[in-house]
Amino acid sequence: MAEKNEKEAPKAKKLADPAAATIDPASQQMIQRAHDLGVETAFDRAVTMKPCNIGTQGICCKNCGMGPCRLPLPKGGIEGEDTRKGICGATPNTIAARNFIRMIAGGAAAHSDHGRSVAEIFMAAARKETDAYKIKDKKKLIEVAGVLGVDTTVEVDGEQLDRDMDEIAVEVGEKALNEWGKAEGELLFARRAPEPRYELWQKQGVLPRNIDREIVEIMHRTHIGVDQDYKNLMKQGTRAAIADGWGGSMLATELQDILFGTPYPLASEANLGVMKEDMVNIVIHGHEPVLSEMIVAVSQKKEMHEYAKSRGAKGIQLSGICCTANEILQRHGVPLCGTFLQQELAIITGACDAMVVDIQCIFQNLANVAKCFHTKLITTHPIARMEQDNVIHIEFDEHHAIEDAERIVKLAIDNFETRKSEVMIPRQKSPIVAGFGVESIEYHLGGMFRGSYYTLNDNIINGRIRGIGGVVGCNNVRTRHNESHIQIVKELIKNDVIVLTTGCNAIACAMEGLLTPESARVFCGPGLAEVCETVGIPPVLHLGSCVDNSRILLAATEVVKAGGLGNDISDLPAAGSAPEWMSEKAISIGHYFVASGVYTVFGVTLPVSGAPVFKDYLFKEFEKMYGGMWDLEVDPIKHAHKMIAHIDKKRSDLGIDKARERILVDMAARRELESA
Ligand code: NFS
């Protein structure tokens, strides 16, 4: 036996081809470095781990102990009656719908639980139980108070006087927290949607009652032997998705804005090249900005800089991965280190002195990668811990937030001197302008004096801007990192579609240099270029993290309100996209876009192909009910053109298709004159 083993050389492990894995040269360099150092990353695991064909089709049911029941679609499709059944009799439609809405529940739970944490901190700040957090944006506090039905004035001697801000804040906190579990009534923010949308939800019976209830009910309905009608299952999926987009996520965004400030455009940089060899690099990764806000504040303190210098570093360089990155970018200009798929690569630079993680999108393998370097990996959230023994857990508590942040920053500084391996930081980084939101779009595109969405609408009506694309979502190792993100966005802006972006799509666009006003001249069609150059904005507007997709919903609502483009979100020349999605959160987002009336195209794959009737329901029937529907397109150029075709259809329904033809002729003629 021993002899035989000697003869058999161990099989070389299959590794990812860096050029095939990503379009980003910085990431390619780090994947290659990982190979050279024998460090494994998700890109390599994707080469050896093939996805399950049945799960990909959405027709594996493991909701009870008799299965899992797998109902793959026969090669060549179904001829005649579809007789596939699970042990209990569940059909492919039932199974796919159950799986789909469980994904919505997972995504809605993640966003909404994040929102709840923010609401709790908001409450602590309003009650003055913590010194670390204060109400920053009073204007937004008043605005949100109005939506939640909190009085902002009080009658004294027959006169209406402004109410005390602290009192308003406490009541807003109470009302907000109530949204997760109130016994009666309906989700208050649903009323923020255009009136016809709200009425449609009412008619369809999908107005959320409270956020938690809709998620719990999905778990109940998808238990064995409960809801067996895919249409009824999707009705609950829709209700939970609305509770996410117009509830948990929107509350997270609004309360974060009130606490930490509403973002306003600012300059920064993106990609691994933002790390600095001679500085202490702290990479913040995850989603909740409550701790990272404190880390930003602490690392700006003079004594921390002095301390870093005393340890041989020139200072402290913060940067971010995933949506925590987007949160601290928007409000403080902290640079973006990378997207979801670059988290391991940031450590592989050898320059990451500490990676601080909170919740969501965190690879468990970070601990294994950190072991190969000097990086301190610090978990901070009670619900998101790691089993590996090299992980340090510093549980964050809002009552001693500053102390926790100081401990973390000091740990990183002390670790600077212990760098083991040679440092290799890719040189790639791009300048960006980020920090857009409902308010700044109004300011920039609405004209300084007008203060409304009128000018944006006018530019859509006259055809300079063909329409609006909301392009969002993750990276997925099953596609080449960032390729679809970039190709789709470039194709949209080339065709005069302005892009609103969040999440990892925003980071991908940032890395590619699309978040600069200058990119308009290079990449946009003539109409969009003219608007962007006149106003001085990028053609791709970074609206923040994934919970900030709620900003896209509110911006769309503002467009409807400004007039001239129909009465509901479904009337707008707009479309949504998640080119490289992978998380359950993306499915929840996709579905609340659809339920809000948006045609939404996903890339990669969707777990519905094994249940063609259910798939048709999402892709076609939904449009009849909600004016928005799902689609799947893997080819990025076709993907963009499906969105553009939808935008054009809406333009023609609105009777504004001719205006665009006219204006483009005008512009071409003008250019001819200029060049003559
Ligand atoms: Ni969104 Fe943000 Fe990125 Fe996907 Fe993960 S970071 S919440 S889930 S991977 S976009």
Side-chain angles (χ1 to χ4, degrees):
M1 269 316 270
E3 227 182 271
K4 198 179 168 213
N5 277 347
E6 268 170 25
K7 276 183 208 159
E8 270 178 15
K11 263 196 188 167
K13 246 189 169 181
K14 272 200 194 164
L15 296 173
D17 167 4
T22 171
I23 60 164
D24 169 41
S27 301
Q28 289 172 359
Q29 186 188 348
M30 286 303 101
I31 296 171
Q32 188 54 54
R33 181 174 207 221
H35 294 169
D36 296 343
L37 299 176
V39 179
E40 187 197 76
T41 67
F43 294 101
D44 303 315
R45 289 189 292 281
V47 176
T48 41
M49 166 81 71
K50 291 285 164 230
C52 162
N53 180 37
I54 301 166
T56 324
Q57 293 180 36
I59 25 105
C60 170
C61 184
K62 53 181 178 55
N63 293 9
C64 84
M66 298 191 288
C69 295
R70 298 166 307 157
L71 314 182
L73 200 62
K75 276 200 182 104
I78 305 273
E79 265 177 45
E81 200 192 337
D82 188 351
T83 53
R84 295 176 291 160
K85 275 188 207 76
I87 303 275
C88 69
T91 65
N93 294 328
T94 307
I95 292 174
R98 279 179 182 159
N99 289 337
F100 199 80
I101 71 169
R102 277 204 173 193
M103 290 184 89
I104 294 178
H111 287 143
S112 300
D113 222 24
H114 163 175
R116 186 201 323 263
S117 292
V118 176
E120 282 167 354
I121 300 230
F122 181 94
M123 206 58 227
R127 287 189 178 136
K128 307 229 178 321
E129 292 164 3
T130 161
D131 293 332
Y133 303 96
K134 302 224 157 35
I135 304 293
K136 248 195 199 149
D137 189 338
K138 295 192 172 140
K139 188 169 166 251
K140 190 160 265 193
L141 174 68
I142 298 294
E143 195 186 310
V144 171
V147 188
L148 294 175
V150 174
D151 287 336
T152 53
T153 55
V154 62
E155 198 182 305
V156 180
D157 298 334
E159 216 185 314
Q160 284 297 323
L161 299 178
D162 286 344
R163 247 184 109 192
D164 178 67
M165 279 290 170
D166 292 340
E167 271 178 39
I168 297 175
V170 171
E171 259 181 59
V172 164
E174 285 166 354
K175 283 263 187 173
L177 271 170
N178 207 26
E179 288 299 280
W180 274 269
K182 61 189 176 188
E184 285 173 350
E186 63 191 34
L187 190 76
L188 294 172
F189 276 3
R191 285 259 180 206
R192 298 182 96 178
E195 191 67 29
R197 182 64 23 188
Y198 174 83
E199 282 166 7
L200 179 68
W201 290 338
Q202 205 169 34
K203 188 181 123 212
Q204 294 288 354
V206 292
L207 272 174
R209 294 155 290 185
N210 70 52
I211 300 162
D212 285 350
R213 180 169 183 178
E214 305 313 348
I215 297 166
V216 169
E217 194 170 306
I218 286 186
M219 299 314 285
H220 179 188
R221 287 207 203 189
T222 56
H223 184 276
I224 184 189
V226 188
D227 205 347
Q228 298 160 22
D229 171 6
Y230 66 91
K231 293 182 183 171
N232 207 39
L233 284 159
M234 270 322 294
K235 186 172 163 185
Q236 181 56 21
T238 303
R239 187 146 54 175
I242 297 170
D244 175 359
W246 296 85
S249 283
M250 198 172 277
L251 280 159
T253 298
E254 299 289 52
L255 298 180
Q256 283 171 183
D257 281 357
I258 299 173
L259 275 180
F260 309 132
T262 300
Y264 199 74
L266 41 69
S268 189
E269 291 177 327
N271 210 346
L272 293 163
V274 303
M275 295 172 83
K276 299 214 172 71
E277 180 158 4
D278 51 8
M279 291 178 113
V280 175
N281 288 293
I282 304 176
V283 179
I284 305 173
H285 172 23
H287 286 76
E288 268 182 25
V290 287
L291 169 63
S292 45
E293 278 283 328
M294 294 302 114
I295 294 184
V296 174
V298 164
S299 41
Q300 283 166 350
K301 281 188 178 175
K302 198 164 163 246
E303 39 300 11
M304 279 297 163
H305 273 263
E306 296 299 319
Y307 187 56
K309 280 187 185 156
S310 76
R311 293 302 181 126
K314 282 208 173 132
I316 304 165
Q317 177 63 58
L318 287 185
S319 61
I321 303 256
C322 285
C323 283
T324 286
N326 288 325
E327 299 279 3
I328 51 176
L329 162 72
Q330 298 193 94
R331 298 191 179 90
H332 304 286
V334 172
L336 299 167
C337 189
T339 66
F340 168 68
L341 279 184
Q342 289 170 285
Q343 51 185 289
E344 291 162 308
L345 308 183
I347 299 178
I348 291 165
T349 59
C352 177
D353 301 303
M355 184 175 275
V356 189
V357 303
D358 50 75
I359 46 161
Q360 301 169 21
C361 300
I362 297 149
F363 279 161
Q364 186 160 355
N365 195 55
L366 284 181
N368 302 328
V369 178
K371 250 184 214 165
C372 307
F373 298 86
H374 76 301
T375 307
K376 297 264 187 239
L377 180 59
I378 305 166
T379 53
T380 57
H381 208 289
I383 70 160
R385 297 188 64 158
M386 289 184 178
E387 64 184 15
Q388 291 95 326
D389 53 15
N390 62 323
V391 180
I392 303 165
H393 186 70
I394 299 182
E395 197 154 303
F396 170 70
D397 179 329
E398 69 265 28
H399 298 104
H400 36 81
I402 295 284
E403 293 85 336
D404 291 339
E406 277 174 355
R407 234 180 110 196
I408 290 168
V409 174
K410 275 196 178 146
L411 213 89
I413 296 174
D414 289 339
N415 201 27
F416 176 75
E417 294 170 311
T418 72
R419 287 185 188 174
K420 291 190 242 180
S421 54
E422 201 188 308
V423 166
M424 188 196 279
I425 301 173
R427 58 180 174 75
Q428 284 84 4
K429 58 178 175 178
S430 301
I432 62 173
V433 177
F436 286 88
V438 179
E439 300 79 2
S440 49
I441 295 177
E442 175 175 312
Y443 179 77
H444 286 277
L445 282 166
M448 243 172 273
F449 306 107
R450 232 185 280 268
S452 83
Y453 271 59
Y454 173 81
T455 313
L456 171 62
N457 284 26
D458 199 33
N459 275 313
I460 296 174
I461 293 165
N462 70 28
R464 281 192 184 86
I465 297 177
R466 189 174 193 156
I468 304 169
V471 191
V472 307
C474 329
N475 287 132
N476 187 319
V477 284
R478 300 299 170 201
T479 66
R480 197 171 173 215
H481 170 236
N482 283 0
E483 185 171 58
S484 295
H485 278 312
I486 299 305
Q487 286 194 7
I488 289 168
V489 169
K490 279 191 178 165
E491 194 62 22
L492 290 173
I493 60 176
K494 187 174 119 192
N495 285 282
D496 294 317
V497 175
I498 193 167
V499 171
L500 307 182
T501 177
T502 61
C504 288
N505 177 272
I507 305 178
C509 292
M511 288 160 58
E512 187 69 13
L514 298 176
L515 303 190
T516 59
E518 296 73 33
S519 67
R521 178 172 283 271
V522 185
F523 297 110
C524 294
L528 180 59
E530 190 185 332
V531 174
C532 291
E533 285 180 337
T534 310
V535 191
I537 54 163
V540 182
L541 301 179
H542 186 339
L543 264 63
S545 64
C546 288
V547 292
D548 293 335
N549 281 315
S550 60
R551 296 189 203 276
I552 301 185
L553 299 177
L554 291 178
T557 304
E558 289 302 317
V559 172
V560 172
K561 273 199 226 154
L565 290 171
N567 301 317
D568 194 356
I569 297 174
S570 52
D571 296 332
L572 300 177
S577 158
E580 302 179 23
W581 80 277
M582 61 86 207
S583 74
E584 291 171 325
K585 290 180 285 177
I587 294 290
S588 182
I589 293 166
H591 200 61
Y592 71 63
F593 266 64
V594 168
S596 302
V598 182
Y599 168 59
T600 304
V601 194
F602 270 40
V604 196
T605 177
L606 272 175
V608 296
S609 59
V613 176
F614 174 62
K615 182 180 156 194
D616 269 7
Y617 187 61
L618 293 182
F619 284 33
K620 295 187 183 134
E621 298 300 309
F622 251 80
E623 187 178 19
K624 295 177 199 150
M625 295 184 292
Y626 292 94
M629 66 291 198
W630 282 87
D631 205 348
L632 170 71
E633 181 52 65
V634 181
D635 180 283
I637 302 300
K638 281 191 199 153
H639 185 118
H641 280 281
K642 279 186 160 186
M643 295 168 73
I644 294 167
H646 179 81
I647 285 169
D648 285 350
K649 181 178 171 289
K650 292 292 169 182
R651 291 191 68 87
S652 129
D653 291 350
L654 289 164
I656 56 170
D657 42 341
K658 296 286 176 298
R660 179 172 158 77
E661 285 161 25
R662 262 199 312 277
I663 201 141
L664 289 180
V665 169
D666 282 355
M667 278 187 284
R670 198 163 56 217
R671 239 197 305 268
E672 238 166 63
L673 272 177
E674 279 170 8
S675 61

